[in-house]
Every structure is written in structure tokens, then in C-alpha cells.
Amino acid sequence: MPSYTVTVSTGSQWFAGTDDYIYITLVGTEGCSEKTLLDKALYNDFERGAVDSYEVRVEENLGEILLVKIEKKKYWVHDDWYCKYITVKTPSGDHIEFPCFLWLVDDNEVVLRDGRAFLPQDDKTSLVKRHRQKELEMRRKTYRWKEWQPGFPMSIDANRHKDLPRDIQFDSEKGVDFVLNYSKAIENLCVNQFMHMFQSSWSDFGDFERIFVRIQNTISEYVMQHWKEDFMFGYQFLNGCNPVVIQKCTKLPDKFPVTDEMVSVSLERDLTLQEEIEAGNVYIVDYEVLEDIRPNCTDPCTLQYLAAPICLIYKNIKNKLLPIAIQLGQTPGKSNPIFLPTDAEYDWLLAKIWVRSADFHHHQNITHLLRTHLMTEVFAVAMYRQLPAVHPVFKLLIPHIRFTMAINTKAREQLICECGIFDKANATGGGGHVQMIQKAMKSLTFRSLCFPDMIKARAVDDKKELPTYFYRDDGYQVWEATKSFVSDVVHIYYTSDETLQKDEEIQAFVKDVCSFGMQDFDHCEFPKSLKSREELTEYLTVIVFTASAQHAAVNFGQYDWCSWIPNAPSTMRRPPPTQKGLANVNLIIESLPDRGRSSWHLGAVWALSQYQEGELYLGMYPDEHFIEKPVKAAMEKFRKRLAEISGSIKRRNDGKKLPYYNMSPDKIPNSVAV
């Protein structure tokens, strides 16, 4: 009587083990086994982290094993189980791997194919074709689109984290509870004594140090010491939290009537302003998206204000970027003066603070929330709906969408919802953040997610012109390394462009992203089909890069750059100045966030900047969805290149007072999970 040895691996995360009954059925080309209970006498099966082996006896050889069916039945109470993989040793001694990496919940079953990746046209037998079709039918019922807000990218249909399919939930919901985490952060930062002191202003700038935690050799302390200086203001447009808004100024917009007379004292090359613009030495930052956004009015005791400033930046002869003109509104006029470095000290400082506050809102709502979190979720939902687990692109992408739908659902549940945490400290709370994203969606195109295109569109791609734009330089390296890896995987499975064109699943995936995820907005210009392997490579690189490198670049530096409150005010409590000569220290302090909002802000940027326990960084793929040697070789090549990039970044940063490491691969998590 032939015997098959079945080895079952249980996950090592919390609550992965089970006491329920586990049954297995082997399905081969020549027949299938009886449903067999996997159980050893006097042994605790399927404990967390365990690898257990069992014998499955059959009457006759089953031929090539095509499928493994696992069923879980209740023993006493339902006890979820996480299965990592199953290995089957055949009577002839062959070992066949069946990756699982799924939760079995309640009385549930899962049917697995072996670990080899197959395109839909590669499946020849009706058995595996039906399995593939049935898996997608079930997925589409489970992973449904939902519009959280009009004009937003679509998201997963779940109101609460616990409503999500178990496979995409966090291992422990408690670990990502925003209220709990922010409260813990506030307590750890020793600012809990201030967190309820709304409407209570600080005394002076030095008073902010009472909630500022000094961590030796961090950027945050350097920011605290130099935040008032123009060079620090300009530097942040290149390597701060929001390094994506600065662009070369080729012509002054009519709405920003800066004259040569206003700025001539700031120019260092004996050129007029127009000549400096023509020479490529002038840059501009425009926060037009903030115009007419409704400020937070959830607290009737505190009026909050927003501005939509425009800032002109000059590259001096030392290649430092310095602000030379700031207008705090989009419409020029007597009540909207252009502030200059030659103005009174506090007039100029207050104008820069308003720009920094606008930059904070742009960063949080558009650069961070919309363009990394929400966009990655679109790709994730479409992937689950259109690509079965056996598809090579599913195997490629799944490490990069890990926990993304969970963190976004939790954010909609606690953070950005009505009366959520976002409302407590942010001037764009209370609905302003929704308006901002709705406006920003009109300029979100597929090409704007392609890193090289995004850099070139702002005309900041020349390394000689901006030699200290480390976000750009490191981003180029990580983009190219990622693209090379993705290309290697694509070419392993797609032998020609025609092979891609015949892949109905990948075409359905791309169409689902555009037609449903992006709601077929005319302006989004997302492709609805892919015709070449090069197009597929770029498309998948966008997904992986957005979920990993881009998110890391705009997320993990938040404590560095935003913990010193005057450098990144989350709200302003006085309106933008409409004339010069009125600003003083008292007006600035009264404009900045009060003690309570400062404490919530500090807790938020601390919590958001923390890496997760057991973080998986770019190139780390411990869950072996791929089993083929060529793919594993491509992964190893990818890791080697990433290590080289990390090493070169480390060498560049050595000795720098302002090191830039947010695009270093050893600090880039695989996915958007915080």
C-alpha cells in the first residue's frame, strides 16, 4: 500500500496554532486519497511554530500530485489556524512543496497547488483550470470595492479592521490601535501632562523644549537648533519629509508678482531675477491645492486657519537653496503682501512658518496618505480580485501589500474618520483632509507615480544643478534596482510580449485598477491593458516602489523633521498676516499649536516613525511563495544590489550633520504597514 509523508508547518505568529481537527486530501492525476485526519496519539499537533509529519496511506499510487485540500473542523470552540506550507513526499521519494501562508477560520477548507508559478494559459488540465477559476470567484466575493469618500481611490469594503478577511488582518489588532499607540507615545515622550491642555499657549519658543525629547545625534535636535535659518528652510524641500513639491521655475506665474527690485539683494550672481530664472537658479513651491480648503472647526473654542502659500527659492553660489519671496495666498493684492528676507525678523519668520505648516498638510494628506497608502491599497484589492495565488505576479506582489489594507482600514476606523484622532490636532481635520485628497486626485496620474518621470516633470533631475538632492539620487538607485529585479522575474515567466497579451488575468488586474480602483477618472491616465513585457515591468515597479521606497521616504522621517513643533505646525491659531510690521514673538506663539495639540502632534509623528517589531525590509522574502531556482537567484541578486546601495549611502552620510537615510534599502520596509 503506497504511503505519502505529509509535513505541515504552522506559523510562528501569535495564535497561529490550533486545537481543531485538521484533515488532508491529496489529489493526483490518477486519483485522490481519502480524507485523512492528521493526528498523533498523545501529541499536541499544530502548535505555534511547529513542523509536524504524518503518513497518508492510499490504495494505489495517485500519479502526479496536483492539489492538496486541507480542512479544519471545530474541536471544542473554533480555533483559527495559520498554515505556512505543506510538503508531500511521494512513494518514489520526490518532495513537492505547497505554499499556503493562509489562515483557516471556523470550519473552513483551502485547496493548494504546488509552489510553481503558472500563467493561466499554462494550465492544461480541467482540474487545475476549475481550481483557478473557483479561487478567483471566491476572492471577488470576499474582496469587494467600496468608495469611502466621493472622488477618492476605491478601497476595500470593510468598516472595521475585524471585518477584513483574516488573511489580511494584522496578527494582533492591539498592536496597531491608533488611540492606544498615540497615547503610549505621548506617555513615553513624557508629554501626557499637556495632552488635555487645549487653548493653553506656550510661553515662548524655548517653552516648546518642555515636550521635545532629545535623542542623541538625531536630525530632530539639529532642526531645533537651526529651524529659523533660511538654509534649513530650503534644505527640507530636497531631503525633508515632503521632498516632492519643489520644481524649477521657468516663468514667474502672474499670481506671484515678484519684482527684481524686491529680491535683488538676495541674488548673488550679478544677474537680474529673470536672468537667474533663465540660468536655472530659481525654484518654486506652490501649495495651490490648499486654496479654499475648509479649516478644522470641530473645536468651537479654538479657531484654526490654513493658507495656500507660494514660495520662491534661490540656489546661491554655494548651491544652497534659500527662500527669497513668500506670498501666503494665491491672489496677489494689498492684503496679500510678498514677504522677503529683508523684512523685519518676525515678519519673515512667521511667513516661513506658514509655508512649513502648508507643507505639513500637503505631506500628510497627499504625499503620504493618498500617494502611498491609498494607492497601494488600490493595487492590493485588484490583485486579490484578479490574480490567483499560483500567478507569478501575485507571488511577486504579495510581500509588498502585506498589512496595507489592514492599516488603511484601521486609519479609516480611528484616524481620518469623522471625530477621529486627525481632528484633534490638525487644521485639515474635520473634513479638510477629504477636500484636499479630492482636489489632489485630479492631478494624480499613473506617470506621476513613476519615480523618474515624477522627478523629470519638476525639472529637478540634473545632479549638477542640485548636487545635494539625496532623495532623488537614492531614489534613482532603488528604482533601478527594483526595476531590474522585477524585469528578471517578468522575463522568467513571460517568454514574449505575445505571452503577456494572452494572459487574461494580468490584463483583468490592470483593468480593475483603472476602471474600478481609480473609477476610470479621465485625468488619471492609468493603462487598461499592457502590451509588452517592458510595460509590465514598469507597472509592477511602480507598485513595489510606491509600497516600499516611496512610503519609507515620506513616512519614517516624520519625527526627525516634525517633532520640533515650530518647524512643522499641524495647525495655526491665528490667520495669515495681511500686512507687514505686525509680527512679534507673542503673535507667533499664539499662532502655533497650543499645548494639547502639540502633544497629540508629537505623539503622532513619533508613532508613525517607528518601525514594526520583526520588520521585513526591501528584498527580505521569508515566506517562500516562489520555489523556482531562477527566481531565487533573481532575489539574491536584488538583495546584493540593495546591500551595495545601503553601503554607498552609509559612506556618504558618514560625518554629515544632516545625514539622509530614508531611501536606504536597509531602512525601507517591504510594504505600507504603518
Side-chain angles (χ1 to χ4, degrees):
M1 180 180 285
S3 176
Y4 292 80
T5 302
V6 174
T7 301
V8 182
S9 174
T10 297
S12 57
Q13 60 267 59
W14 286 105
F15 313 115
T18 187
D19 288 327
D20 282 356
Y21 296 113
I22 304 297
Y23 297 88
I24 196 167
T25 305
L26 306 180
V27 181
T29 53
E30 303 298 325
C32 63
S33 70
E34 297 289 330
K35 184 167 87 171
T36 304
L37 175 65
L38 301 181
D39 183 49
K40 297 178 188 175
L42 305 176
Y43 179 76
N44 200 348
D45 304 277
F46 312 114
E47 287 291 283
R48 180 165 71 101
V51 179
D52 302 314
S53 294
Y54 304 88
E55 295 298 316
V56 176
R57 300 189 181 279
V58 295
E59 295 293 332
E60 295 180 355
N61 195 298
L62 303 177
E64 181 186 356
I65 303 298
L66 298 177
L67 303 172
V68 168
K69 180 160 80 168
I70 315 167
E71 297 177 70
K72 185 175 77 68
K73 299 293 183 182
K74 182 172 70 172
Y75 169 63
W76 183 250
V77 294
H78 283 301
D79 190 11
D80 297 351
W81 177 50
Y82 185 84
C83 177
K84 286 178 66 178
Y85 63 83
I86 290 175
T87 302
V88 177
K89 181 183 177 184
T90 67
S92 61
D94 294 331
H95 288 79
I96 310 168
E97 295 179 48
F98 292 82
C100 184
F101 306 109
L102 296 171
W103 285 93
L104 277 76
V105 180
D106 300 331
D107 286 342
N108 194 13
E109 69 175 47
V110 62
V111 181
L112 306 174
R113 289 183 60 174
D114 74 74
R116 293 172 296 171
F118 290 96
L119 299 176
Q121 57 264 44
D122 295 334
D123 284 343
K124 304 304 180 185
T125 69
S126 59
L127 181 68
V128 294
K129 286 181 179 179
R130 283 198 308 271
H131 170 263
R132 194 173 192 125
Q133 184 179 2
K134 187 177 179 181
E135 180 185 4
L136 288 178
E137 287 172 355
M138 291 294 293
R139 291 256 207 87
R140 287 168 192 148
K141 291 177 183 176
T142 306
Y143 296 85
R144 301 174 304 277
W145 292 111
K146 181 180 180 180
E147 184 182 59
W148 186 66
Q149 294 284 350
F152 269 47
M154 296 283 268
S155 54
I156 185 79
D157 184 5
N159 293 324
R160 298 168 298 177
H161 178 267
K162 66 181 182 180
D163 298 334
L164 291 168
R166 184 67 181 90
D167 290 322
I168 59 171
Q169 290 182 23
F170 284 104
D171 296 332
S172 169
E173 185 176 0
K174 185 179 177 182
V176 73
D177 186 293
F178 283 109
V179 175
L180 184 65
N181 287 352
Y182 283 25
S183 299
K184 275 185 181 176
I186 288 167
E187 185 176 345
N188 291 340
L189 295 167
C190 304
V191 296
N192 46 322
Q193 60 181 311
F194 303 115
M195 64 183 290
H196 301 297
M197 297 175 66
F198 293 93
Q199 292 86 53
S200 174
S201 296
W202 301 95
S203 303
D204 51 39
F205 293 130
D207 206 16
F208 280 99
E209 293 190 47
R210 295 179 64 184
I211 64 165
F212 183 77
V213 179
R214 284 184 177 80
I215 302 172
Q216 195 172 9
N217 295 326
T218 60
I219 291 171
S220 55
E221 189 164 350
Y222 192 87
V223 172
M224 182 194 74
Q225 294 166 352
H226 298 279
W227 71 280
K228 294 181 182 179
E229 299 171 37
D230 287 352
F231 91 89
M232 175 61 79
F233 180 90
Y235 178 85
Q236 292 180 72
F237 291 117
L238 298 180
N239 302 310
C241 270
N242 198 31
V244 299
V245 291
I246 188 170
Q247 56 185 322
K248 185 173 284 187
C249 180
T250 55
K251 180 181 182 298
L252 272 177
D254 293 339
K255 65 181 180 180
F256 193 26
V258 180
T259 65
D260 191 65
E261 184 182 7
M262 289 178 183
V263 298
S264 59
V265 69
S266 299
L267 308 180
E268 300 181 359
R269 294 181 177 85
D270 294 326
L271 301 174
T272 65
L273 176 59
Q274 182 57 36
E275 289 169 339
E276 292 279 19
I277 290 173
E278 292 169 0
N281 298 321
V282 180
Y283 297 82
I284 193 168
V285 178
D286 188 350
Y287 297 96
E288 184 178 11
V289 71
L290 274 156
E291 188 177 26
D292 298 326
I293 298 298
R294 183 177 63 253
N296 190 341
C297 57
T298 57
D299 180 359
C301 298
T302 302
L303 292 176
Q304 299 181 62
Y305 298 91
L306 293 167
I310 312 171
C311 182
L312 207 62
I313 309 285
Y314 176 65
K315 184 184 70 172
N316 72 5
I317 56 176
K318 295 182 179 179
N319 284 325
K320 287 186 177 180
L321 295 185
L322 304 173
I324 57 172
I326 293 171
Q327 182 177 286
L328 297 181
Q330 293 288 310
T331 305
K334 195 172 182 181
S335 61
N336 188 18
I338 295 175
F339 292 92
L340 307 167
T342 50
D343 291 339
E345 176 187 357
Y346 292 118
D347 281 342
W348 180 236
L349 181 60
L350 182 56
K352 288 192 295 180
I353 289 173
W354 270 103
V355 174
R356 294 296 310 139
S357 184
D359 191 73
F360 175 84
H361 297 303
H362 185 283
H363 164 261
Q364 290 291 359
N365 295 295
I366 299 172
T367 307
H368 184 207
L369 176 58
L370 171 60
R371 298 181 69 91
T372 63
H373 279 259
L374 300 184
M375 284 313 307
T376 303
E377 183 174 6
V378 167
F379 295 122
V381 176
M383 183 199 79
Y384 271 102
R385 287 172 52 82
Q386 305 298 344
L387 301 179
V390 73
H391 198 290
V393 172
F394 180 93
K395 292 171 179 279
L396 175 69
L397 293 183
I398 194 163
H400 301 289
I401 56 94
R402 179 175 179 254
F403 297 146
T404 300
M405 288 180 277
I407 193 69
N408 288 1
T409 301
K410 202 68 184 173
R412 287 186 287 267
E413 184 182 348
Q414 290 187 321
L415 190 63
I416 58 175
C417 57
E418 189 175 350
C419 301
I421 295 174
F422 201 76
D423 289 357
K424 288 185 180 294
N426 293 279
T428 48
H433 58 307
V434 173
Q435 288 180 291
M436 279 191 75
I437 289 175
Q438 289 167 335
K439 288 180 74 172
M441 276 292 289
K442 294 173 182 174
S443 60
L444 196 162
T445 64
F446 177 75
R447 297 248 58 93
S448 73
L449 296 176
C450 300
F451 188 80
D453 294 57
M454 179 262 284
I455 295 292
K456 194 167 186 177
R458 294 185 286 115
V460 289
D461 50 319
D462 192 328
K463 192 169 182 176
K464 292 179 181 177
E465 291 185 355
L466 291 174
T468 59
Y469 197 3
F470 304 128
Y471 162 78
R472 173 202 60 202
D473 300 340
D474 299 351
Y476 274 148
Q477 291 193 82
V478 177
W479 171 272
E480 289 303 323
T482 303
K483 188 176 181 181
S484 176
F485 166 60
V486 170
S487 178
D488 288 346
V489 175
V490 165
H491 281 76
I492 289 169
Y493 295 100
Y494 294 94
T495 54
S496 67
D497 292 344
E498 187 181 12
T499 311
L500 169 66
Q501 293 163 17
K502 290 181 177 179
D503 183 348
E504 295 176 352
E505 290 170 350
I506 203 71
Q507 301 298 343
F509 164 63
V510 172
K511 187 175 181 180
D512 209 17
V513 168
C514 180
S515 298
F516 289 91
M518 297 302 291
Q519 302 195 58
D520 227 350
F521 291 133
D522 293 336
H523 51 266
C524 76
E525 299 173 3
F526 274 60
K528 289 186 178 179
S529 64
L530 299 173
K531 294 182 172 56
S532 70
R533 290 177 292 177
E534 285 67 31
E535 288 178 359
L536 176 61
T537 296
E538 182 182 61
Y539 194 91
L540 299 179
T541 302
V542 164
I543 299 173
V544 175
F545 186 88
T546 300
S548 57
Q550 182 63 16
H551 178 256
V554 302
N555 181 75
F556 292 102
Q558 289 188 75
Y559 186 79
D560 288 343
W561 295 101
C562 303
S563 57
W564 180 246
I565 308 292
N567 188 59
S570 60
T571 188
M572 297 291 275
R573 297 179 297 136
R574 293 289 181 273
T578 56
Q579 57 181 298
K580 299 184 181 184
L582 298 181
N584 54 35
V585 171
N586 288 338
L587 176 61
I588 294 176
I589 293 297
E590 289 172 5
S591 298
L592 290 169
D594 55 39
R595 294 168 191 256
R597 288 178 175 82
S598 296
S599 300
W600 276 103
H601 168 90
L602 195 61
V605 298
W606 171 270
L608 290 169
S609 300
Q610 302 308 300
Y611 292 97
Q612 302 298 300
E613 186 178 348
E615 191 76 80
L616 297 176
Y617 295 96
L618 190 57
M620 294 171 62
Y621 304 117
D623 290 354
E624 294 194 13
H625 292 275
F626 284 110
I627 65 167
E628 293 95 328
K629 288 182 180 178
V631 184
K632 291 187 175 183
M635 288 177 176
E636 189 55 40
K637 174 185 165 188
F638 184 37
R639 282 189 284 268
K640 184 178 179 182
R641 177 62 188 131
L642 293 175
E644 291 171 355
I645 296 170
S646 296
S648 68
I649 291 172
K650 186 176 185 300
R651 288 190 294 274
R652 181 199 65 208
N653 284 335
D654 283 346
K656 285 190 181 298
K657 293 178 180 177
L658 277 176
Y660 184 76
Y661 47 76
N662 292 332
M663 274 279 197
S664 182
D666 58 351
K667 294 184 181 297
I668 297 175
N670 267 332
S671 63
V672 177
V674 64

